[in-house]
Amino acid sequence: MDTNTRKPVEVVAALIWDRGRFLICRRPAHKARGLLWEFAGGKVEPGETHRQALIRECREELAVTVHPGDVFFETMHVYPDITVHLTLFRAAITEGTPQMLEHADLRWITPAEIPGYAFCPADTGILARLRGLPG
């Protein structure tokens, strides 16, 4: 199917702050975009709202319960293998401590540290906005 006509996959992610730093996750080497950094989250399953999907994904990936807040950023990105409509929510951890259940690494970084990490291309606009904000 032509990448311009492919139906986008709905993806949600969490912007989780703690003391001026936000959480990033490194994709496993064996997955698409392996070893690139991203925000915790994943695909919205049929019948789920975006917020329900974010809560489920954070439980599955990080073993935490989050409370999704407002939308921080929305973007569409076309990769060679998939087109994603990414919605990044501000989110707060209400229970648990992040654990690496699915990722190769987890880090808490400041906006100033963003250039030191190779992120998934879909996150480019998010990262630019974060760099323009105080932590």
Side-chain angles (χ1 to χ4, degrees), residues 34-57:
L35 300 180
L36 292 180
W37 292 86
E38 65 181 0
F39 297 89
K43 295 176 186 171
V44 178
E45 298 293 338
E48 279 184 322
T49 67
H50 283 58
R51 284 178 168 80
Q52 288 169 336
L54 188 62
I55 292 166
R56 176 186 50 76
E57 286 285 350

Side-chain angles (χ1 to χ4, degrees), residues 70-87:
D70 62 332
V71 173
F72 179 80
F73 200 89
E74 259 186 281
T75 188
M76 187 85 70
H77 189 82
V78 179
Y79 287 108
D81 59 325
I82 190 172
T83 298
V84 297
H85 175 237
L86 172 63
T87 305

Side-chain angles (χ1 to χ4, degrees), residues 1-122:
M1 182 183 278
D2 184 302
T3 56
N4 294 325
T5 59
R6 182 187 311 147
K7 181 173 169 39
V9 174
E10 291 295 323
V11 176
V12 292
L15 176 58
I16 302 169
W17 287 94
D18 183 38
R19 296 186 296 273
R21 295 178 181 269
F22 61 92
L23 182 65
I24 61 172
C25 306
R26 195 170 199 189
R27 292 180 63 81
H30 67 277
K31 289 199 170 182
R33 288 156 290 285
L35 300 180
L36 292 180
W37 292 86
E38 65 181 0
F39 297 89
K43 295 176 186 171
V44 178
E45 298 293 338
E48 279 184 322
T49 67
H50 283 58
R51 284 178 168 80
Q52 288 169 336
L54 188 62
I55 292 166
R56 176 186 50 76
E57 286 285 350
C58 288
R59 278 191 192 122
E60 291 174 1
E61 293 183 357
L62 302 172
V64 296
T65 302
V66 297
H67 174 75
D70 62 332
V71 173
F72 179 80
F73 200 89
E74 259 186 281
T75 188
M76 187 85 70
H77 189 82
V78 179
Y79 287 108
D81 59 325
I82 190 172
T83 298
V84 297
H85 175 237
L86 172 63
T87 305
L88 181 73
F89 289 90
R90 295 179 196 268
I93 296 173
T94 58
E95 189 178 320
T97 301
Q99 298 174 37
M100 280 191 302
L101 301 181
E102 297 199 10
H103 291 95
D105 200 359
L106 301 175
R107 299 270 172 90
W108 292 93
I109 69 168
T110 66
E113 293 172 305
I114 289 170
Y117 295 87
F119 280 84
C120 291

